[in-house]
Amino acid sequence: MHYGLGIDAGGTYTDAVIIRGSDGVVVDSKKSFTTYPDLQEGIRNVLDSLDKEYMEDVNLVSVSTTLSTNSLLEGTGVPVGLIIVGEQPVENVFPTQHIKWVAGGHDTRGDEEFPLDVDAVREFALKTKDIVSAYAVSAYFGARNPEHEVKVKEIVREITGMPVVCGHELSLELGAYERAVTAVLNAQLIPITHHFVSSVMKDIKRRGINARMLMLKCDGSVYNIEDALEKPIETIFSGPAASLLGASYLSKIETCAVIDVGGTSTDVSMLYNGVPEISTSGAVVGGWKTRVRAMKMETSATGGDSHIWVTDDRVHVGPRRVIPLCVASAQYPEFADRLKKSRNLPRTLMDENYQPTKFFVRTGYEAAGLDEQEEELLYAIGSEPASIAEISVLLKKSPATKVLDSLIRKRLIQGIGFTPTDALHVLGIYTQWDVNAAEMGASHLSRYVRKGKYEFCAHVRELVARNMAADLMSFILPHHPEDMIADLLNRTYPAKFKLEVPVVLLGGPVQAHADELRSMIEAEVVVPDFAEVGNAVGALAGKGVKRIEITIMPASIQNPDEDFLVFSPLGRERFQVYTDAVDFATRVGKELVLDYEKRCGILEQDTQITVSRKTMSPETWPHPPLETRVIVVGVGNPMMVLKD
């Protein structure tokens, strides 16, 4: 008997499932906290809790993660040097400060327009090799002819020995700026992804498991682990992609909306006939537009561990993630006593950091580049949770909120506070951790909004469900104003949303919000078995999908019947006869697709390949097309290999 192991590392939890290859049944599943800065500890904890007999027969491991996305959103990637070959954009801003424009580049047909300034490349590499950790290269019309990008890569690697990412390696779409941004973000993620992947691989090998290793991409397909290390940018949003696939797999529904409530955020997406809806314009992450194909989704900062805080009779949800009080009490033996002794704060001082239930603790990350205020505050916060009052006593003054915010962004300290998870503990719906600590937190906060603790927690539960409903409707109705959606959800008018597709819920205790959601939206709301580990299931449900698009154009409009240029991932080729160019494009496309599937462990006979052509010409054009796109798509299922 053969089994597949799915692992998903989220911002809060690391989940794992084992699926039997013969019938696709989930035979075991577990959750563990994601551990920082040592990810391997969390991975080890969750794998240690799985049935060892099943683990011995695992021969496929597939992983997904939100760690890449979180890193880009938080700006914690490594410093990158960017070399742009060709015209200098006037107003464009890039996600790095280390930029060099050098002469060179090609024209629209891939002919060299200007020679590459090799000396300028060498000078920049020597100047920056001690202050960056990777390089990115994007050349003008590098998608048409990548020879300048390839040359720059050779020079920089020879001088620095560091990773170098070329724009054409990630996308052959036109748009030098977007390709440059994509290359920079990819370079930033290489060390982070390498750390995560190596943590998984070390633990798998330590257990004596000899298995193929795959990673889920943000479009819902998988690629082998070596490709993931070279192109980690494609793992952004792989966590949400996993939730979408996992929801469909567990619910057996192929067309549905999916709401995935994690510890940090809530993601909403759609599946049509088993296929995720893909954004045609490329993924946008952290405000940066990329050339990465990703599924469409709506993300909000509402999760099970979102900070619940109060000001002026109002209850706020997030956007920051904190450790729930009930969890902190289980992790830190003296925390419950500190929470019990916590003093009320004047309403005039209260903000997201100044709360009677807010505590801070060091994360273990190494501090660097701090100013005097940050160093002073970090020194006052130790490895045990400290309240604002306790920190103020040590500092002999109240800590500045902006300094606390800065240390949180740099991941040097972690907040502890009241969360929706605590509210569910008080209501008796979900009681895995310390109910007493959750009740103390609810008592502290509820008096500020003039409610009893149970009424306060019921209100928090309703707010979370309303946020879920608002995220869902704003995703389905993207052109409708938020105020209109809010009015209907708040029952301001005698009207209600009705959905004609099922809504599948994933995440921890999502069952607690199902009835609230049904009361706001008329829809079939489904909470499948194993919903709490749906992302790990989705990591295994991904198909090996590879799409190769090759462009053919006449070399000259003046002579459109002969001499054709072919632009493929392998570079530029030239053919005198149009049919020869098409045959070459088709053959290369199939070879690249089959090579990709092979690296995913999928055999040629198990790969379905489709070839299509799109042409563009004037209506009365009597010659071969002005532009031909040969599109080759291969699809294979890694789980098929597990079937006996």
Side-chain angles (χ1 to χ4, degrees):
M1 189 69 69
H2 301 295
Y3 297 90
L5 170 63
I7 303 171
D8 176 73
T12 304
Y13 292 100
T14 296
D15 303 337
V17 300
I18 297 177
I19 294 180
R20 189 164 53 217
S22 58
D23 55 11
V25 171
V26 178
V27 295
D28 197 11
S29 66
K30 294 294 186 292
K31 297 177 75 72
S32 179
F33 285 111
T34 299
T35 52
Y36 302 100
D38 182 9
L39 299 175
Q40 195 164 357
E41 180 183 351
I43 294 167
R44 182 174 60 249
N45 291 341
V46 74
L47 297 187
D48 280 344
S49 62
L50 291 170
D51 190 308
K52 291 180 176 56
E53 290 188 13
Y54 293 136
M55 289 286 284
E56 290 175 357
D57 291 323
V58 165
N59 66 344
L60 171 65
V61 179
S62 190
V63 298
S64 64
T65 182
T66 59
L67 297 176
S68 297
T69 312
N70 293 345
S71 174
L72 295 181
L73 292 174
E74 295 164 3
T76 55
V78 301
V80 169
L82 171 62
I83 299 173
I84 299 179
V85 182
E87 293 187 6
Q88 177 174 339
V90 178
E91 299 178 353
N92 286 337
V93 178
F94 295 91
T96 179
Q97 297 177 340
H98 312 290
I99 306 171
K100 179 69 174 180
W101 284 270
V102 302
H106 293 74
D107 61 19
T108 58
R109 300 188 181 281
D111 293 322
E112 186 177 73
E113 193 165 31
F114 301 100
L116 176 66
D117 188 344
V118 173
D119 291 337
V121 174
R122 292 184 182 279
E123 180 185 351
F124 180 70
L126 289 168
K127 180 181 178 181
T128 56
K129 66 177 184 177
D130 295 328
I131 56 176
V132 304
S133 299
Y135 288 86
V137 186
S138 182
Y140 201 62
F141 281 106
R144 289 286 191 249
N145 191 334
E147 64 180 3
H148 283 181
E149 291 187 357
V150 172
K151 183 62 177 177
V152 170
K153 182 174 184 175
E154 291 175 355
I155 294 170
V156 173
R157 291 188 69 172
E158 179 184 348
I159 293 173
T160 69
M162 294 179 186
V164 183
V165 178
C166 296
H168 81 275
E169 296 171 335
L170 303 171
S171 173
L172 290 181
E173 294 286 333
L174 296 181
Y177 172 69
E178 289 81 3
R179 286 201 314 278
V181 168
T182 306
V184 170
L185 297 180
N186 194 77
Q188 287 181 347
L189 291 176
I190 287 175
I192 296 159
T193 304
H194 190 276
H195 178 43
F196 168 64
V197 168
S198 62
S199 296
V200 175
M201 292 178 71
K202 284 179 184 176
D203 201 277
I204 294 297
K205 290 179 179 179
R206 180 179 65 84
R207 298 169 192 274
I209 297 174
N210 183 21
R212 288 178 294 127
M213 287 199 64
L214 305 176
M215 194 163 190
L216 195 70
K217 298 197 294 184
C218 49
D219 63 358
S221 64
V222 294
Y223 57 165
N224 75 356
I225 217 72
E226 289 78 13
D227 290 338
L229 292 174
E230 288 186 9
K231 301 179 181 180
I233 187 68
E234 294 185 350
T235 68
I236 60 172
F237 306 134
S238 74
S243 69
L244 191 60
L245 299 177
S248 179
Y249 186 96
L250 293 172
S251 66
K252 304 295 189 291
I253 301 173
E254 292 198 334
T255 297
C256 58
V258 178
I259 303 178
D260 177 21
V261 183
T264 306
S265 62
T266 292
D267 302 317
V268 179
S269 49
M270 286 284 295
L271 197 72
Y272 296 96
N273 297 319
V275 179
E277 187 177 8
I278 303 298
S279 172
T280 56
S281 59
V284 177
V285 57
W288 300 106
K289 190 177 187 309
T290 74
R291 283 298 185 199
V292 178
R293 282 171 51 85
M295 46 170 261
K296 287 184 179 179
M297 69 172 184
E298 183 95 10
T299 301
S300 68
T302 300
D305 295 347
S306 291
H307 186 206
I308 302 297
W309 50 291
V310 297
T311 57
D312 298 328
D313 296 332
R314 184 183 170 193
V315 180
H316 304 265
V317 181
R320 284 213 178 103
R321 179 185 73 86
V322 295
I323 299 173
L325 300 177
C326 57
V327 174
S329 182
Q331 291 180 336
Y332 302 99
E334 298 180 4
F335 178 74
D337 288 337
R338 293 191 173 196
L339 178 61
K340 187 176 182 179
K341 297 174 183 176
S342 180
R343 301 200 307 259
N344 289 333
L345 298 173
R347 292 176 182 269
T348 54
L349 293 180
M350 291 175 66
D351 60 18
E352 189 173 1
N353 287 324
Y354 274 72
Q355 297 284 305
T357 53
K358 189 73 177 282
F359 293 75
F360 298 91
V361 65
R362 282 201 189 192
T363 62
Y365 280 98
E366 185 177 347
L370 302 183
D371 62 28
E372 186 176 340
Q373 284 184 300
E374 290 171 333
E375 287 184 351
E376 183 182 29
L377 179 53
L378 186 61
Y379 181 78
I381 299 173
S383 57
E384 290 293 323
S387 67
I388 284 290
E390 291 170 323
I391 295 170
S392 299
V393 169
L394 288 172
L395 291 176
K396 297 182 181 179
K397 63 181 179 181
S398 297
T401 285
K402 67 177 183 179
V403 182
L404 285 166
D405 287 340
S406 177
L407 292 179
I408 291 171
R409 283 194 301 271
K410 293 177 180 178
R411 303 178 79 170
L412 297 175
I413 63 173
Q414 171 66 55
I416 298 170
F418 194 82
T419 67
T421 299
D422 290 300
L424 295 181
H425 275 69
V426 175
L427 296 172
I429 297 171
Y430 179 68
T431 55
Q432 183 176 352
W433 307 101
D434 187 352
V435 175
N436 184 51
E439 289 185 342
M440 282 192 286
S443 296
H444 275 302
L445 294 178
S446 59
R447 61 173 60 100
Y448 285 93
V449 291
R450 298 177 177 85
K451 296 179 183 290
K453 67 179 181 181
Y454 296 107
E455 183 186 8
F456 172 76
C457 291
H459 179 59
V460 169
R461 180 188 177 194
E462 181 185 7
L463 284 177
V464 171
R466 191 179 301 163
N467 285 353
M468 290 166 56
D471 292 341
L472 174 63
M473 297 318 303
S474 64
F475 178 82
I476 292 176
L477 304 171
H479 305 299
H480 288 64
E482 291 183 6
D483 290 345
M484 183 275 285
I485 293 174
D487 284 343
L488 287 180
L489 295 177
N490 293 335
R491 301 180 179 90
T492 304
Y493 302 103
K496 193 176 185 180
F497 288 113
K498 180 179 180 179
L499 268 66
E500 295 182 351
V501 297
V503 180
V504 181
L505 302 187
L506 287 189
V510 287
Q511 185 66 57
H513 303 295
D515 288 339
E516 293 279 354
L517 192 62
R518 292 185 186 103
S519 71
M520 298 174 187
I521 297 173
E522 188 176 332
E524 179 189 358
V525 178
V526 179
V527 182
D529 292 338
F530 301 103
E532 68 279 3
V533 290
N535 285 32
V537 172
L540 275 174
K543 301 286 196 303
V545 181
K546 184 62 175 178
R547 184 179 190 273
I548 300 293
E549 189 169 307
I550 299 175
T551 303
I552 303 170
M553 300 173 62
S556 170
I557 297 297
Q558 285 71 36
N559 187 18
D561 291 308
E562 57 183 47
D563 195 8
F564 296 90
L565 301 175
V566 181
F567 305 105
S568 79
L570 301 181
R572 190 184 76 159
E573 298 290 340
R574 205 162 193 154
F575 294 87
Q576 287 300 306
V577 181
Y578 173 72
T579 54
D580 289 345
V582 172
D583 290 344
F584 172 80
T586 304
R587 177 172 56 81
V588 167
K590 288 182 177 180
E591 289 175 353
L592 291 173
V593 161
L594 288 174
D595 179 65
Y596 179 92
E597 299 291 337
K598 182 180 179 180
R599 295 200 306 275
C600 292
I602 301 168
L603 301 177
E604 180 176 347
Q605 59 264 34
D606 295 326
T607 302
Q608 296 179 344
I609 295 180
T610 59
V611 181
S612 61
R613 265 190 273 171
K614 293 182 179 179
T615 60
M616 185 179 67
S617 295
E619 288 185 12
T620 58
W621 186 256
H623 311 284
L626 285 177
E627 180 177 292
T628 301
R629 294 202 172 193
V630 177
I631 303 162
V632 183
V633 179
V635 180
N637 186 355
M639 286 291 288
M640 287 293 294
V641 183
L642 299 182
K643 293 184 181 294
D644 292 336

